[in-house]
Amino acid sequence: MKKVVLIGGGFAGSLIARKLEKHFNVTLIDSKNYFEFTPGILRTIVEPKHLNKIQILHKNYLKKTRIFLGNVNEIGKDYVKVNHQKIKFDYLCICSGSRYKAPIKEQNLIITARATHLRNNYDRLCKANKILIIGGGIVGVELAAEIFTHYPNKEITIVHSKNKLMERNNDKTIKYAEKFLTKKGVKIIYNEKVIDAKENGKIYHTDKNREIKTDLAFLCTGIIPNFEFMKKNFNNRLDEKSHIKINKYLQLEEAENIFVAGDVNSTEVEKTAQNSKIQAKIVVKNLISLEKNKKLKEYEQDRTALVISLGKWDGIFESNKLTFTGIMPGIMKSIIEWKEMAGLRFRR
Ligand SMILES: Cc1cc2nc3c(=O)[nH]c(=O)nc-3n(C[C@H](O)[C@H](O)[C@H](O)COP(=O)(O)OP(=O)(O)OC[C@H]3O[C@@H](n4cnc5c(N)ncnc54)[C@H](O)[C@@H]3O)c2cc1C
């Protein structure tokens, strides 16, 4: 059996492992030993018990895959290096996802992509009166909604560098979110960037000289891909934002046995779990086709539907120009989470 190595057990990597483990000798290398439904992580800040619902050990849903805990720090055309060990492969799938960049150096700042950090902050959140959210993209908006739904008396401020929230979404989506937040008393500051933090994370300054005093701050700004293992041999395959450049079949340019799916690649689609899974399915198909000398399938960068939750009982469903709001999209998000996790827990 040929050897397939996967880097990262998030949405893309875990799906590829499940689909390929019957046909190949699969090794999943992940810096954590569990899969986590990241879109549900914001709820764990206000409901720590929710964490049990969104995590599952890789070994509990993978049947034949060899699971290797570690951080890949170098790759070549037929090997990866992890924990000073070299692992050879016939095919490699890079699914290492992304993390948040932290432009502001401050111990007290909570970075929303860091799940472990995030869920340990429940006590701090309970005690805080003033909360600052840096970044008004989808994550910042969902986080503000989660917090005020649970704690309506907390004073929440969002600082956003653009002139509207979630600027890549439809106007109706944006207006609904804005109205939803402001009606509940969330203060939104537009066209300003937070540039530094002082007093152990109690005072922040924006580029327009505004001073914001807060008890707790969350950083919800743009993501950066986990690309560092590319530097030694494939630095020229990174784009200007350090995403891994790929061809239309999701292969690394000039290395057709290496596929790249999810947040880490250079596709222009929104970096979502849904898109990571769509790409993972293409990778599975193409890897099998390559093995059988069949034609590969192109990845079409379509805009996919999006569900944005505004607390447990409200939300927005957006598909192309269509937007639905209210309780149904709110519930939809919980159903998607339940379905994803049940699919892993009860996998036959
Ligand atoms: C707070 C938050 C809310 C979100 N909400 C939504 C939502 O509602 N809907 C939606 O569709 N998307 C949402 N997203 C985006 C979604 O979570 C990501 O697009 C998705 O997780 C990307 O999947 P992935 O498989 O590419 O990478 P990830 O899920 O990031 O997984 C990457 C894996 O690779 C591992 N890894 C990284 N580097 C290495 C290395 N060098 N060696 C070994 N392992 C490594 C990581 O530990 C991780 O396990 C949200 C993201 C955040 C942060």
Side-chain angles (χ1 to χ4, degrees):
M1 260 193 191
K2 288 211 172 152
K3 282 186 181 170
V4 177
V5 167
L6 310 172
I7 306 177
F11 284 91
S14 72
L15 190 148
I16 296 173
R18 274 175 281 152
K19 299 277 180 196
L20 290 183
E21 65 179 0
K22 275 191 233 137
H23 313 286
F24 295 89
N25 178 345
V26 178
T27 301
L28 169 67
I29 307 170
D30 195 354
S31 38
K32 53 184 185 43
N33 65 348
Y34 56 90
F35 168 85
E36 183 166 77
F37 187 84
T38 323
I41 203 74
L42 297 177
R43 185 144 304 149
T44 67
I45 307 176
V46 289
E47 271 180 35
K49 279 190 188 147
H50 190 70
L51 196 63
N52 299 330
K53 296 186 184 164
I54 62 163
Q55 288 182 341
I56 178 168
L57 291 172
H58 292 312
K59 70 176 171 82
N60 289 351
Y61 67 90
L62 292 171
K63 312 259 181 251
K64 294 183 171 177
T65 300
R66 178 179 166 227
I67 298 151
F68 200 108
L69 191 63
N71 218 30
V72 172
N73 49 36
E74 182 186 319
I75 68 164
K77 281 201 167 169
D78 64 352
Y79 73 89
V80 302
K81 265 195 190 166
V82 53
N83 304 352
H84 306 292
Q85 201 174 323
K86 215 173 192 178
I87 301 178
K88 290 273 209 176
F89 60 76
D90 297 296
Y91 296 102
L92 174 68
C93 302
I94 302 175
C95 310
S96 48
S98 59
R99 61 182 184 274
Y100 271 36
K101 67 179 163 218
I104 309 151
K105 287 196 175 58
E106 177 46 58
Q107 281 177 345
N108 263 359
L109 188 73
I110 298 169
I111 297 168
T112 44
R114 286 202 196 137
T116 29
H117 190 182
L118 209 63
R119 64 179 171 254
N120 292 335
N121 279 286
Y122 177 65
D123 289 343
R124 286 175 64 195
L125 177 68
C126 292
K127 283 181 201 144
N129 290 320
K130 290 183 178 179
I131 291 156
L132 172 65
I133 296 176
I134 304 166
I138 295 175
V139 172
V141 167
E142 286 192 337
L143 179 62
E146 284 292 344
I147 295 174
F148 78 59
T149 306
H150 281 76
Y151 305 101
N153 296 327
K154 297 207 188 286
E155 204 180 291
I156 304 172
T157 303
I158 300 178
V159 177
H160 190 46
S161 60
K162 306 280 176 6
N163 62 359
K164 45 186 161 179
L165 297 173
M166 306 188 295
E167 60 284 347
R168 289 190 300 277
N169 290 84
N170 294 342
D171 278 348
K172 194 172 167 198
T173 301
I174 295 169
K175 279 195 187 119
Y176 188 82
E178 257 169 7
K179 199 167 159 197
F180 185 87
L181 295 177
T182 46
K183 223 168 75 184
K184 309 275 168 149
V186 175
K187 182 178 174 193
I188 307 172
I189 300 168
Y190 292 103
N191 296 317
E192 289 190 33
K193 276 186 182 170
V194 171
I195 49 167
D196 71 15
K198 294 218 169 88
E199 305 272 326
N200 204 18
K202 299 280 181 209
I203 297 177
Y204 289 80
H205 292 110
T206 73
D207 56 351
K208 302 228 168 110
N209 295 325
R210 189 193 297 266
E211 186 174 277
I212 302 168
K213 291 188 176 146
T214 190
D215 301 316
L216 191 58
F218 291 90
L219 183 66
C220 307
T221 54
I223 53 170
I224 49 165
N226 295 318
F227 69 95
E228 285 73 9
F229 48 82
M230 298 290 289
K231 276 189 194 158
K232 185 157 182 210
N233 298 315
F234 295 107
N235 204 29
N236 59 345
R237 312 286 161 81
L238 298 171
D239 71 10
E240 66 288 352
K241 287 186 179 160
S242 301
H243 287 107
I244 303 174
K245 289 191 269 186
I246 36 144
N247 66 17
K248 57 191 177 190
Y249 306 114
L250 301 180
Q251 290 162 306
L252 188 66
E253 285 173 0
E254 294 162 41
E256 61 172 24
N257 63 330
I258 301 181
F259 291 88
V260 190
D263 281 10
V264 73
N265 73 24
S266 62
T267 52
E268 278 165 23
V269 294
E270 201 72 30
K271 301 295 182 197
T272 62
Q274 210 188 344
N275 285 328
S276 298
K277 286 175 71 180
I278 292 170
Q279 292 170 19
K281 286 178 191 160
I282 304 267
V283 166
V284 169
K285 264 201 173 112
N286 283 348
L287 199 151
I288 293 172
S289 297
L290 198 60
E291 186 62 10
K292 294 182 177 168
N293 280 324
K294 285 189 178 165
K295 198 170 176 286
L296 304 195
K297 190 176 161 55
E298 280 183 29
Y299 171 60
E300 284 161 26
Q301 303 201 20
D302 288 338
R303 210 183 150 105
T304 47
L306 195 67
V307 183
I308 300 162
S309 60
L310 297 170
K312 232 178 198 169
W313 305 113
D314 212 315
I316 305 168
F317 172 86
E318 182 186 290
S319 172
N320 291 320
K321 296 245 152 54
L322 273 179
T323 298
F324 299 106
T325 54
I327 189 165
M328 282 316 286
I331 295 174
M332 239 166 116
K333 185 111 178 207
S334 302
I335 296 173
I336 295 169
E337 178 184 299
W338 180 84
K339 200 169 157 247
E340 181 80 35
M341 296 310 295
L344 296 176
R345 285 204 177 100
F346 305 115
R347 185 173 176 235
R348 301 241 167 259

